[in-house]
């Protein structure tokens, strides 16, 4: 092991067994309250909050520590409007022919349609990009590793941070999403991954009456 490549690991905290269980149960209880929302208030959120949420996302692990993500945070009214218009154009086509009958049936309980008002109402839109490769000073391409896994993990951290702030979000995937690359003028090595409106919930916000799978349905313990 080359000593120059390593530093000692310092754990923030260690718990007794009881404390550990209490901590993990508390975190589960908090995370279990997270919901995806489609009804946002237009109440402003300080830029520093969004900055810190994005810094939290940037603490996620990634293949060969390449950190193959990029976040564009938008509060600008004109840009949000342009994104809404482009997203609605694509979604109109999705709901009128591009999505299968089965897909439309699966979505029926969510009562979604091509209207995406939340893209203008929410005070911030965070557009997450995945970087399939990096371009060095000599214009050489260098592939990143496990890009979907890495960016998915970063988004998980992002959503947890949003929830921790008492805010709500939607992991939105207007499809296709290349309009985001154009509107936001991102380089060719970045492709849109998710579009995430962030804000306070609208006062009258409703969420679908759906349930999470039990532990036995999502896990197997081999002891
Ligand atoms: N992108 C469309 C359709 C949609 C797809 C899935 I999978 C959802 O979980 C919800 C919606 C839309 O945003 O309406």
């Amino acid at each position: 092991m080359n000593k120059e490549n390593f530093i000692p690991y310092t754990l923030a905290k260690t718990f007794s067994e009881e404390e550990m269980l209490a901590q993990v149960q508390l975190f589960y209880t908090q995370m279990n309250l997270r919901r995806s929302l489609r009804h946002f208030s237009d109440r402003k959120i300080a830029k520093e909050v969004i900055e810190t949420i994005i810094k939290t996302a940037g603490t996620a692990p990634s293949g060969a520590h390449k950190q193959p993500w990029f976040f564009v945070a938008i509060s600008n009214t004109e840009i949000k409007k342009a994104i809404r218009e482009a997203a609605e154009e694509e979604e109109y086509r999705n709901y009128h022919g591009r999505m299968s009958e089965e897909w439309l049936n699966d979505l029926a309980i969510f009562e979604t349609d091509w209207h995406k008002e939340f893209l203008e109402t929410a005070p911030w839109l965070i557009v997450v990009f995945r970087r399939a490769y990096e371009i060095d000073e000599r214009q050489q391409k260098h592939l990143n590793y496990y890009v979907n896994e890495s960016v998915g993990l970063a988004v998980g951290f992002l959503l947890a941070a949003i929830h921790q702030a008492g805010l709500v979000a939607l992991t939105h995937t207007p499809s296709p999403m290349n309009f985001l690359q154009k509107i936001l003028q991102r380089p060719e090595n970045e492709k849109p991954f998710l579009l995430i409106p962030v804000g306070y919930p609208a006062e009258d916000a409703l969420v679908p009456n759906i349930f999470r799978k039990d532990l036995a349905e999502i896990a197997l313990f081999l002891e």
Side-chain angles (χ1 to χ4, degrees), residues 38 91 95 99 103 107 112-113 116 172-174:
R38 290 184 172 78
E91 292 293 359
Y95 281 92
M99 291 193 308
W103 195 348
L107 291 182
T112 55
D113 62 26
K116 302 299 170 195
H172 183 41
T173 52

Side-chain angles (χ1 to χ4, degrees), residues 9-201:
Y9 172 61
T10 40
L11 185 64
K13 231 178 206 174
T14 41
F15 296 111
S16 70
E17 280 186 28
E18 299 90 84
E19 280 171 340
M20 185 183 288
L21 186 58
Q23 284 291 324
V24 79
Q25 284 173 338
L26 179 65
F27 189 63
Y28 161 69
T29 308
Q30 286 168 344
M31 289 302 287
N32 196 30
L33 292 172
R34 188 205 57 78
R35 295 296 309 255
S36 293
L37 251 84
R38 290 184 172 78
H39 307 116
F40 291 83
S41 147
D42 61 3
R43 187 171 161 193
K44 301 273 177 283
I45 297 167
K47 185 179 173 189
E48 202 178 353
V49 171
I50 302 298
E51 286 174 341
T52 310
I53 285 168
I54 293 173
K55 283 203 285 186
T56 305
T59 68
S62 61
H65 194 52
K66 293 293 183 185
Q67 306 170 77
W69 41 66
F70 195 80
F71 302 88
V72 180
I74 305 139
S75 64
N76 178 286
T77 315
E78 286 79 44
I79 301 174
K80 286 198 296 181
K81 186 166 187 277
I83 289 176
R84 176 188 177 175
E85 282 169 5
E88 287 187 336
E89 214 174 295
E90 294 295 355
E91 292 293 359
Y92 183 88
R93 286 193 231 165
N94 290 335
Y95 281 92
H96 295 84
R98 284 204 298 221
M99 291 193 308
S100 67
E101 273 307 303
E102 186 176 6
W103 195 348
L104 290 170
N105 283 337
D106 277 339
L107 291 182
I109 56 163
F110 301 101
E111 298 189 20
T112 55
D113 62 26
W114 62 272
H115 295 95
K116 302 299 170 195
E117 198 186 324
F118 54 76
L119 293 175
E120 279 191 87
T121 321
W124 288 93
L125 303 179
I126 301 179
V127 184
V128 186
F129 289 87
R130 72 192 285 294
R131 277 196 188 163
Y133 57 92
E134 305 292 334
I135 308 169
D136 70 16
E137 316 78 55
R138 294 193 234 131
Q139 301 305 310
Q140 301 280 357
K141 291 181 183 179
H142 302 278
L143 285 186
N144 287 327
Y145 311 97
Y146 299 100
V147 173
N148 284 334
E149 291 84 345
S150 303
V151 183
L153 286 161
V155 170
F157 282 33
L158 186 90
L159 295 178
I162 291 167
H163 182 60
Q164 182 74 12
L167 299 170
V168 294
L170 178 69
T171 38
H172 183 41
T173 52
S175 166
M177 283 199 280
N178 29 9
F179 65 85
L180 289 168
Q181 197 175 6
K182 286 195 201 108
I183 293 174
L184 302 174
Q185 300 180 337
R186 298 309 304 161
E188 58 153 41
N189 63 328
E190 282 180 18
K191 297 286 178 238
F193 187 78
L194 280 172
L195 169 51
I196 305 180
V198 183
Y200 290 89

